[in-house]
C-alpha cells in the first residue's frame, strides 16, 4: 500500500540494481558494535581454529601475517539499512586458513568468536571457495580499531553483522548455534538479497 | 558481554503492520516527536527500536530504523523522535508531509541488547549525544514508572541549547526525582544556559556523574553518533567502568 505523500529519492538504475531491498547507499562507513571498542594488542593477539571444543591450529599476529594474502573488493550491506559499494579489503581467505590448519572437511556450521565476547554463526559454505576472509587491511591500510582491527571476519555477501569485528577464532560446530545477535532475534543466515534480517524473514 | 537473561522477548516473526499517527509535537526546530498507535502491539522493552517502511505509488520503498523514546507504559502507543536530515529521504517526509491521522507501515519491537528492565537493577549511567538520547529517554521514563528508587545519572550532550530535546522534562525530572541526576552539556553554545554546562563530554563530567551515584553503575548505556560514543566509551573505560557492563548504540558514520 502506498504511503500518502511519499515519492522517495530513487537511486539511479545502476545503483538500484546493486542495492538489496530496503538498503540505501552511503559513502560514509558507519561504525556499529554492541559495546566499546576493545583494546587488542598485537603482541598478545591469537587466532585459533577449533573443531568443536578442540583447537586444531593457532597463530600469533606475526605467524598469521606469513599466510598467503588475498585482495577482495566487494559491496557490503548492513542490516541497519546502509550499503557501501566497492570496499577493498585484504587478508587471508578462509580456504587458505583451512589448508594451513590441515582441516580438509570442516563441519557444516561455523561460529566466529571475537575479543569482545561477540560471536556470530555462518554456514561454512558461506565462508569457503573464496567467499570470505579474515581481513587485516581496508583500502590499503591496517583496519582501524573501530572497524574491527587488527583483524575481522569479512563475509561480504551476508549482512555485515556476520563479519565479526576483532575476530580471534573460528569454531566448526556440528549444529547451527546462534551467535550474539542471532540469540537476540536476528536471522541465522542473513542474506541481504532475501532480506533475511530477523528470525522468520 | 551480556548473557541470556538480558535478552528481550522477541516476536517469533516481525510482521509489517500499519500504525496510525496520533500526535505530532515539535521538540526542537529540527526534531519532531511522532506518537504512533500500531494496529497490533504487545508492548516492548525500553531501549528497543522499530523499522519504518515507506512505499511510493510505483512500489519503490525506503526503510529506516528509529528508536522508541516513550516508556513501555501499556498505552499501546509509541513515540519516535525524528531528526531532520537535510538531504535525507525519510526524515524530510516525516517533517514536511506526515500529519495526524496518517498511517505508516512499521514492524517491531526490535533489539535484544541495548535494553533495560527494572529487574536488572542499577545503578544506571546513561550517556547520550544528540538524538542518541531517544532510547535512553525510554529507559529513564520507564525507570521513573517501574523502579524510581534505582539511582540513575544521565549525561547528555547537545551542540546548542536549541538542539536539546525533552529539555523541560529532563530539568523537571532532575528537580523532582530524588534518585535521578542530570549532567547536561552544550558543546557549541556560546552563552550560559540554565541546567547545562558548556563544552564537550570529558572525564571530569563523567567523574561528576559517577560521584552522584551511591555505587558504581551496574550498566552503562551510551548512545549517539560514533565519534561521541567512541569518546564516551574511552572516558568510561578510563574511569574504571568494566568493559562488559557498557552497552553502546551508534548512529551514522
Amino acid at each position: 500500500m502506498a504511503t500518502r505523500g511519499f515519492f522517495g529519492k530513487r537511486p539511479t538504475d545502476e545503483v538500484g540494481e546493486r542495492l538489496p531491498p530496503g538498503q540505501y547507499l552511503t559513502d560514509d562507513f558507519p561504525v556499529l558494535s554492541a559495546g566499546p571498542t576493545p583494546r587488542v594488542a598485537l603482541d598478545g593477539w591469537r587466532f585459533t581454529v577449533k573443531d568443536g571444543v578442540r583447537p586444531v591450529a593457532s597463530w600469533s599476529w606475526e605467524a598469521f601475517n606469513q599466510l598467503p594474502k588475498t585482495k577482495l573488493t566487494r559491496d557490503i550491506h548492513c542490516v541497519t539499512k546502509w550499503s557501501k559499494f566497492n570496499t577493498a579489503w585484504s587478508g587471508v581467505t578462509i580456504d587458505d586458513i583451512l589448508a594451513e590448519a590441515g582441516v580438509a572437511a570442516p563441519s557444516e556450521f561455523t561460529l566466529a568468536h571475537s575479543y569482545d565476547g561477540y560471536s556470530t554463526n555462518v554456514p561454512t559454505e558461506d565462508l569457503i571457495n573464496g567467499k570470505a576472509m579474515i581481513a587485516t587491511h581496508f583500502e590499503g591500510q591496517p583496519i582501524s580499531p573501530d572497524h574491527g582491527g587488527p583483524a575481522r571476519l569479512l563475509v561480504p555477501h551476508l549482512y555485515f553483522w556476520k563479519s565479526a569485528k576483532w575476530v580471534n577464532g573460528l569454531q566448526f560446530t556440528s549444529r547451527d548455534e546462534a551467535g550474539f545477535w542471532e540469540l537476540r532475534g536476528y536471522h541465522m543466515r542473513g542474506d541481504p538479497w532475501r532480506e533475511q534480517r530477523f528470525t522468520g524473514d | 558481554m551480556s548473557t541470556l537473561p538480558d535478552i528481550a522477548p522477541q516476536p517469533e516473526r516481525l510482521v509489517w503492520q500499519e500504525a496510525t499517527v496520533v500526535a505530532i509535537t515539535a521538540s526542537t526546530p529540527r526534531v519532531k516527536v511522532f506518537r504512533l498507535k500500531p494496529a497490533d502491539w504487545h508492548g516492548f522493552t525500553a531501549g528497543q527500536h522499530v523499522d519504518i517502511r515507506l512505499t511510493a505509488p510505483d512500489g519503490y520503498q525506503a526503510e529506516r530504523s528509529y528508536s522508541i523514546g516513550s516508556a513501555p507504559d501499556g498505552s499501546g502507543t509509541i513515540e519516535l523522535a525524528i531528526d531532520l536530515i537535510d538531504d535525507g529521504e525519510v526524515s524530510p517526509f516525516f517533517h514536511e508531509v506526515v500529519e495526524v491521522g496518517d498511517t505508516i507501515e512499521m514492524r517491531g519491537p526490535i533489539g535484544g541488547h541495548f535494553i533495560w528492565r527494572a529487574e536488572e537493577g542499577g545503578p544506571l549511567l546513561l550517556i547520550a549525544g544528540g538524538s542518541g538520547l531517544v532510547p535512553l529517554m525510554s529507559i529513564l521514563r520507564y525507570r521513573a514508572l517501574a523502579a524510581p528508587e534505582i539511582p540513575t545519572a544521565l549525561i547528555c550532550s547537545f551542540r546548542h541549547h536549541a538542539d536539546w530535546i525533552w529539555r523541560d522534562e529532563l530539568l523537571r525530572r532532575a528537580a523532582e526525582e530524588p534518585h535521578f541526576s542530570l549532567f547536561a552539556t552544550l558543546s557549541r553554545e556560546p552563552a550560559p544556559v540554565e541546567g547545562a554546562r558548556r563544552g564537550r563530554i570529558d572525564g571530569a563530567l563523567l567523574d561528576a556523574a559517577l560521584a552522584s551515584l551511591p555505587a558504581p553503575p551496574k550498566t552503562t548505556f551510551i548512545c549517539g553518533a560514533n565519534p561521541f560514543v567512541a569518546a564516551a566509551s574511552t572516558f568510561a573505560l578510563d574511569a574504571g567502568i568494566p568493559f562488559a557492563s557498557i552497552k553502546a548504540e551508534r548512529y551514522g558514520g
Side-chain angles (χ1 to χ4, degrees), chain B residues 24 43 54 56 60 72-73 82 87 98 117-118 127 129 140-141 165 185 187 202 204 214 220 222 232:
Chain B
I24 303 173
L54 307 178
Y60 167 78
D73 56 8
I82 299 183
D87 57 349
V98 172
R117 284 173 294 198
I127 308 177
L140 191 68
R141 288 166 160 173
I165 49 178
T185 188
S187 60
D202 59 16
T220 297
I222 307 175

Side-chain angles (χ1 to χ4, degrees), chain B residues 80-145:
Chain B
L80 310 180
I82 299 183
D83 240 340
L84 178 62
I85 298 164
D86 287 327
D87 57 349
E89 177 176 29
V90 172
S91 69
F93 166 77
F94 269 92
H95 274 251
E96 291 154 22
V97 179
V98 172
E99 295 172 356
V100 169
D102 282 349
T103 54
I104 300 288
E105 226 182 346
M106 57 151 270
R107 67 177 185 167
I110 299 165
H113 175 65
F114 197 82
I115 55 167
W116 182 74
R117 284 173 294 198
E119 57 264 37
E120 289 162 33
L124 294 179
L125 176 59
L126 312 176
I127 308 177
S131 57
L133 177 61
V134 180
L136 304 185
M137 197 68 181
S138 178
I139 292 173
L140 191 68
R141 288 166 160 173
Y142 161 66
R143 167 204 155 277
L145 292 172

Side-chain angles (χ1 to χ4, degrees), chain A residues 19-20 32 46 48 77 91 152 154 175 178 187 192 198:
Chain A
L19 281 176
L32 291 134
R46 296 293 297 183
T48 304
H77 312 289
R152 73 178 296 162
L154 177 73
R175 57 188 187 87
H187 198 276
F198 307 113

Side-chain angles (χ1 to χ4, degrees), chain A residues 151-174:
Chain A
R152 73 178 296 162
L153 180 61
L154 177 73
V155 195
H157 66 287
L158 299 181
Y159 280 126
F160 220 45
W161 89 80
K162 298 287 183 181
S163 293
K165 294 179 176 183
W166 314 299
V167 70
N168 65 4
L170 293 179
Q171 179 183 18
F172 297 102
T173 59
S174 56

Side-chain angles (χ1 to χ4, degrees), chain A:
Chain A
M1 194 210 72
T3 311
R4 184 192 70 81
F6 178 72
F7 301 98
K9 290 169 95 174
R10 271 163 201 64
T12 62
D13 287 350
E14 194 185 320
V15 169
E17 279 171 17
R18 284 170 70 176
L19 281 176
Q23 298 293 113
Y24 64 89
L25 183 63
T26 184
D27 293 326
D28 292 337
F29 194 170
V31 171
L32 291 134
S33 67
T37 296
R39 298 163 180 182
V40 183
L42 291 184
D43 55 6
W45 187 89
R46 296 293 297 183
F47 183 82
T48 304
V49 172
K50 288 184 180 178
D51 180 3
V53 296
R54 187 175 60 91
V56 291
S58 186
W59 293 269
S60 66
W61 181 251
E62 198 180 10
F64 190 81
N65 279 276
Q66 303 302 313
L67 300 179
K69 287 283 176 77
T70 300
K71 291 181 178 177
L72 271 185
T73 298
R74 294 286 187 278
D75 300 346
I76 57 174
H77 312 289
C78 180
V79 71
T80 64
K81 316 289 160 63
W82 57 265
S83 291
K84 187 173 175 64
F85 290 168
N86 302 320
T87 62
W89 305 84
S90 112
V92 183
T93 64
I94 307 302
D95 304 306
D96 286 334
I97 287 170
L98 292 179
E100 291 286 335
V103 178
S107 65
E108 207 178 324
F109 306 105
T110 307
L111 263 176
H113 296 280
S114 296
Y115 270 101
D116 61 339
Y118 182 81
S119 60
T120 188
N121 56 321
V122 185
T124 303
E125 65 173 19
D126 282 310
L127 295 178
I128 57 176
N129 298 324
K131 292 199 280 288
M133 64 165 52
I134 302 299
T136 56
H137 288 71
F138 173 69
E139 307 290 354
Q141 299 294 320
I143 299 174
S144 68
D146 275 357
H147 286 297
R152 73 178 296 162
L153 180 61
L154 177 73
V155 195
H157 66 287
L158 299 181
Y159 280 126
F160 220 45
W161 89 80
K162 298 287 183 181
S163 293
K165 294 179 176 183
W166 314 299
V167 70
N168 65 4
L170 293 179
Q171 179 183 18
F172 297 102
T173 59
S174 56
R175 57 188 187 87
D176 197 8
E177 295 180 34
F180 182 83
W181 285 121
E182 294 81 12
L183 278 169
R184 290 157 176 82
Y186 281 64
H187 198 276
M188 291 294 271
R189 177 150 185 265
D191 180 347
W193 293 97
R194 296 180 183 177
E195 251 194 301
Q196 293 171 337
R197 299 178 190 275
F198 307 113
T199 307
D201 276 351

